[in-house]
Every structure is written in C-alpha cells, then in structure tokens.
Amino acid sequence: MKNKTILLINNDPSVYEFIKKILNHFCGWQVLKANSSIQALKLAIQAQPDAILFDLSASGLGLFLFSFLIELRSQTITQSIPVIMIGEPEWLHTDLLHEFAIAGVINYSTVFTKFPQQIANLLDWDQSTIF
C-alpha cells in the first residue's frame, strides 16, 4: 500500500502537518494540501491522488463541499477518485453520501493512530503495510 497519494483539503497548517506526519509515518503515503476547493480541484486533476480527504471542520471549507463534489464528479479524469469526509456534521446523512459518492466519514473523535486504518477500511485498501 506504499506510494499512495492523499489530497487533504484543509486550511489549517497545523492540522495538515499533523495528518501528514501520521499518514506518512504509519503508511508511507504522500500527502498533498489544498487550502480551498478550487485549489483542490486543480490538484486532483494534476496529481490524480488515490483519495481525497475533505476536512469539514476547516474554516469556511464546508460551504464549498457540494460545489467541489459536483465539479470533481463532472470531470472524467477525477470522477472516480474516492472522497472521505473528516468530521461529522449533523446535516451529513446517508442519502448525501450516496448522492455524491462519498466513500465515508471519519469523525475527529477518532484516535489518530487509527486514522490510516480507517481510511484503508473505507477504501478497501490492503492494511498489511500499516504499522
């Protein structure tokens, strides 16, 4: 499972660094950062990440979630990239997850050392290389 690339949409540098260290240390995954949904769409097209993590708790980003997902799913080159939400707002329900092909949600209350396993579980990735 080495050499996976994850695109993290988050505008908090400390959260990005923390998640990057966990995913890189435990899995060897490369983590790209986007501060906005516009930047994320450009990076998704250019880098073709293996998955996208969209942080709903990041300041102001949740407002752009659906426009980002509509654009992501409308592009042939990006429509199959799995998206995982971080955070669990009350309004995010099963129908929306299916409608926008969201692979799943990881709550911030999760123990962060289990974060890589949760991503791998949601995406059916082999977990044998996560230590």
Side-chain angles (χ1 to χ4, degrees):
M1 190 164 35
K2 299 269 185 203
N3 302 321
K4 296 282 187 193
T5 300
I6 306 293
L7 173 57
L8 174 63
I9 304 170
N10 178 290
N11 55 11
D12 183 334
S14 60
V15 170
Y16 164 72
E17 285 300 323
F18 184 69
I19 291 174
K20 177 183 173 183
K21 284 180 183 176
I22 287 171
L23 297 182
N24 191 272
H25 174 74
F26 286 103
C27 310
W29 298 344
Q30 178 184 8
V31 181
L32 306 175
K33 181 179 188 282
N35 293 317
S36 69
S37 56
I38 294 169
Q39 183 184 25
L41 189 58
K42 289 178 184 175
L43 271 172
I45 291 167
Q46 292 170 352
Q48 290 292 288
D50 296 290
I52 296 172
L53 301 178
F54 195 109
D55 188 349
L56 293 170
S57 67
S59 177
L61 288 179
L63 299 172
F64 302 104
L65 171 64
F66 296 112
S67 59
F68 167 75
L69 289 170
I70 289 167
E71 274 300 312
L72 185 78
R73 299 300 179 223
S74 71
Q75 305 274 334
T76 304
I77 195 166
T78 60
Q79 62 188 210
S80 64
I81 299 172
V83 176
I84 295 173
M85 301 289 113
I86 302 174
E88 198 168 330
E90 295 173 7
W91 52 264
L92 189 63
H93 52 83
T94 307
D95 292 342
L96 286 173
L97 294 176
H98 292 294
E99 182 178 344
F100 290 98
I102 298 170
V105 179
I106 297 174
N107 195 322
Y108 259 118
S109 64
T110 298
V111 176
F112 274 100
T113 56
K114 296 186 185 247
F115 201 61
Q117 286 128 342
Q118 287 185 306
I119 294 169
N121 281 340
L122 287 170
L123 301 177
D124 292 325
W125 289 352
D126 175 22
Q127 295 184 41
S128 64
T129 60
I130 298 175
F131 51 93

